[in-house]
């Protein structure tokens, strides 16, 4: 549920983009898009929460320090580096990211006449690879899809908010039945009526 301060902020945003006497359908569409935004249902927000709540604590326990999306750990004259790299093709509802790994040697950099890095990035490492090279069973990339994530975590309220925002955006298009069918395939039958409830005829 929203906090009242979030509701007021959302409505103030809505007032700014909805002219007085504007089209009611556009008003409702914008309201749903603002609603989806302010409950942090974007895949980017989910990526941030997964990094903060899962990746960061795991690597911290292993001795890594964090800077942006790069984690580093010094050991025996070497530095281990792990970085998360977002795909350039990400959208509001979908994030793909890669896990890059590297090992940096300050001694090797000195021999090569390069500037020694105290906090090397993955691109500074002499040995670099993706995680699946080190862990063959790991996937080539990881994906976060906001709607599926809310369903997987049984957050039916936010799943419904995402469904409604997608309907507001695409419900009037000829391809909506195909989109709708695809979305509903991911919803458990027992929750179908609640998640995919129609708020208005789009």
């Amino acid at each position: 549920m929203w906090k009242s301060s979030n509701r007021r902020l959302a409505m103030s945003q809505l007032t700014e983009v909805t002219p007085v006497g504007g089209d009611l359908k556009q008003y409702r569409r914008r309201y749903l898009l603002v609603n989806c935004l302010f409950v942090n249902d974007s895949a980017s927000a989910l990526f941030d929460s997964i990094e903060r709540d899962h990746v960061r604590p795991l690597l911290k326990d292993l001795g890594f320090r964090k800077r942006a999306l790069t984690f580093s750990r010094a050991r025996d004259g070497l530095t281990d580096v792990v970085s998360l790299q977002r795909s350039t093709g990400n959208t509001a509802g979908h994030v793909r990211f890669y896990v890059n790994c590297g090992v940096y040697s300050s001694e090797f950099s000195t021999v090569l006449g390069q500037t020694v890095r105290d906090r090397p990035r993955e691109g500074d490492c002499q040995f670099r690879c993706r995680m699946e090279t080190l862990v063959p069973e790991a996937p080539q990339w990881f994906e976060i899809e906001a709607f599926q994530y809310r369903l997987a975590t049984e957050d039916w309220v936010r799943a419904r908010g995402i469904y409604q925002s997608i309907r507001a955006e695409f419900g009037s298009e000829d391809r909506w039945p195909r989109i709708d069918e695809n979305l509903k395939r991911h919803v458990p039958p027992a929750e179908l009526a609640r998640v995919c409830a129609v708020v208005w005829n789009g």
Side-chain angles (χ1 to χ4, degrees):
M1 297 297 291
W2 278 5
K3 294 181 180 178
S4 59
S5 59
N6 286 343
R7 288 183 183 275
R8 287 194 296 271
L9 181 57
M11 292 308 296
S12 67
Q13 295 275 339
L14 183 62
T15 302
E16 291 177 7
V17 299
T18 305
V20 175
D23 180 75
L24 181 60
K25 183 175 178 182
Q26 287 294 328
Y27 180 90
R28 286 172 170 167
R29 175 175 297 178
R30 286 171 178 161
Y31 175 80
L32 287 174
L33 292 175
V34 171
N35 175 57
C36 182
L37 173 65
F38 276 85
V39 293
N40 288 326
D41 275 326
S42 72
S44 180
L46 293 174
F47 171 86
D48 291 341
S49 67
I50 290 171
E51 183 276 324
R52 180 188 66 243
D53 299 335
H54 301 284
V55 177
R56 194 185 309 176
L58 172 65
L59 292 177
K60 183 179 179 180
D61 288 346
L62 295 173
F64 284 84
R65 296 184 299 165
K66 178 181 182 294
R67 176 182 290 174
L69 292 178
T70 298
F71 303 81
S72 59
R73 174 183 65 184
R75 59 173 179 90
D76 301 326
L78 301 174
T79 303
D80 300 319
V81 178
V82 175
S83 69
L84 307 183
Q85 177 190 348
R86 299 186 196 222
S87 171
T88 56
N90 289 336
T91 65
H94 178 268
V95 166
R96 172 182 292 181
F97 68 95
Y98 306 87
V99 180
N100 300 319
C101 304
V103 178
Y104 175 81
S105 168
S106 56
E107 183 178 358
F108 196 23
S109 288
T110 301
V111 170
L112 295 177
Q114 299 173 344
T115 301
V116 174
R117 306 287 185 185
D118 292 331
R119 295 285 297 273
R121 297 169 298 180
E122 185 263 336
D124 299 318
C125 295
Q126 292 90 6
F127 171 78
R128 299 167 62 193
C129 68
R130 287 262 168 84
M131 189 174 74
E132 66 269 18
T133 302
L134 301 175
V135 185
E137 61 269 25
Q140 288 184 297
W141 58 73
F142 297 85
E143 294 183 293
I144 303 171
E145 202 283 330
F147 187 61
Q148 292 182 9
Y149 180 88
R150 294 303 181 189
L151 295 176
T153 56
E154 299 185 356
D155 190 341
W156 311 121
V157 173
R158 286 190 168 92
R160 181 183 179 187
I162 295 173
Y163 176 85
Q164 291 174 0
S165 70
I166 295 171
R167 181 180 177 85
E169 184 72 13
F170 303 107
S172 62
E173 297 183 8
D174 292 339
R175 60 177 172 159
W176 170 250
R178 298 194 305 274
I179 298 173
D180 193 32
E181 181 182 350
N182 181 54
L183 291 172
K184 289 179 177 179
R185 278 204 299 266
H186 298 288
V187 182
E191 301 296 335
L192 192 62
R194 179 157 49 147
V195 171
C196 301
V198 178
V199 178
W200 80 90
N201 293 324

